[in-house]
């Protein structure tokens, strides 16, 4: 995944903070930067002072700089018109054409030496048909959903999936934003998520959820993520789904086996649980004493104990609540926020548990 960060000149961060953020992103191979040139609260004097310094560093690191521009904001770059050569010289590599440009103009730009980006949240089939009519080169185009600063205005999952499906028909990759709260961006400071359901959730959960929804690239929307948040975004993998849980067992051997292995959901899907293919073989060297016998709630991670004879070591994630059974231990429970990810564990899905 080609993931990235966001930087807003003349807003919350000092020049030093923005430069350090770019250094940190480069350290973890996050080489995409989103920035917007039409935020009303921007301090224009600081914007003009910092722009060249920032773009000089991004050019040094060969980073993609995505600028959210409109005809009204070119003045910030001291440009009268959309001059591709001058933009490239500055270090701007991708133009996100949010509004103000016709299909014919975009089609012409798509054949020039710059990448273009659509607003994935508002693009329509009719506009894509019009772009086709003008022979747009879609090979140089991707798309990025909006972020939504005001509470209650973010997209719902269904809308995001509909837009993704539309764009993927044209082989256009789609990105989206996650919020962070180490330093939420001004002026509202309520986070910058694409999906409303991600507002006030952790960056970790939001990024993993977006990936499972088929998003091709993920951007941290807010101003100053922590190094841990940047590192987790950089480490996001297609190999497995990561699920976070609270430990309940005190058995160190069980916890070690639980956390060090990648599990696969069985093809013969059970009615009330996600069964694992490998668990009995992985846990067979451990004598599993009965412990923490309790009603099995949704998200409980259970392990059949020694009383279950040949089933001992069977691990499940409960998807429908079940009564307690003295042959079944509950060794951990998914955090409540993680339950949103359970529907995406389908037969043959691989997952890993972190407690």
């Amino acid at each position: 995944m080609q993931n990235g960060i966001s930087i807003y000149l003349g807003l919350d961060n000092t020049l030093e903070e923005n430069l350090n953020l770019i250094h940190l992103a480069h350290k973890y191979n996050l080489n995409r930067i989103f920035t917007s040139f039409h935020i009303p609260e921007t301090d224009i004097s600081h914007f003009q002072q910092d722009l060249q310094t920032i773009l000089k560093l991004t050019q040094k690191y060969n980073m993609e700089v995505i600028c959210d521009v409109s005809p009204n904001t070119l003045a910030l770059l001291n440009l009268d018109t959309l001059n591709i050569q001058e933009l490239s010289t500055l270090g701007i590599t991708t133009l996100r054409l949010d509004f103000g440009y016709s299909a014919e103009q975009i089609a012409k730009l798509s054949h020039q030496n710059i990448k273009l980006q659509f607003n994935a949240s508002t693009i329509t089939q009719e506009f894509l048909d019009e772009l086709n009519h003008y022979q747009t080169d879609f090979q140089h185009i991707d798309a990025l959903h909006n972020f939504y600063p005001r509470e209650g205005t973010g997209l719902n999952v269904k809308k995001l999936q509909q837009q993704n499906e539309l764009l993927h028909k044209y082989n256009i990759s789609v990105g989206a934003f996650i919020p962070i709260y180490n330093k939420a961006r001004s002026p509202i400071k309520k986070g910058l998520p694409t999906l409303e359901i991600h507002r006030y959730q952790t960056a970790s959960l939001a990024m993993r959820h977006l990936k499972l929804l088929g998003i091709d690239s993920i951007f941290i929307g807010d101003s100053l993520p922590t190094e841990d948040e940047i590192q987790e975004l950089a480490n996001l993998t297609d190999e497995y789904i990561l699920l976070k849980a609270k430990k309940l067992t005190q058995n160190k051997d069980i916890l070690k086996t639980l956390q060090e292995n990648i599990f696969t959901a069985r093809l013969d899907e059970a009615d009330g649980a996600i069964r694992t293919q490998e668990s009995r073989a992985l846990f067979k060297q451990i004598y599993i004493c009965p412990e923490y016998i309790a009603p099995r709630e949704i998200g409980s991670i259970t392990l059949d104990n020694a009383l279950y004879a040949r089933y001992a070591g069977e691990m499940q994630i409960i998807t429908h609540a079940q009564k307690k059974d003295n042959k079944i231990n509950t060794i951990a429970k998914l955090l409540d926020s993680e339950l949103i990810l359970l529907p995406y564990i389908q037969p043959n899905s691989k997952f890993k548990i972190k407690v």
Side-chain angles (χ1 to χ4, degrees), residues 18-32:
N18 281 331
L19 291 172
N20 286 339
L21 180 55
I22 293 170
H23 288 305
L24 197 58
H26 176 69
K27 173 183 173 182
Y28 289 103
N29 297 312
L30 297 180
N31 291 317
R32 305 186 82 190

Side-chain angles (χ1 to χ4, degrees), residues 321-332:
Q322 299 174 44
K323 64 184 181 180
K324 69 179 181 179
D325 184 327
N326 65 0
K327 300 185 293 297
I328 302 173
N329 297 353
T330 301
I331 59 172

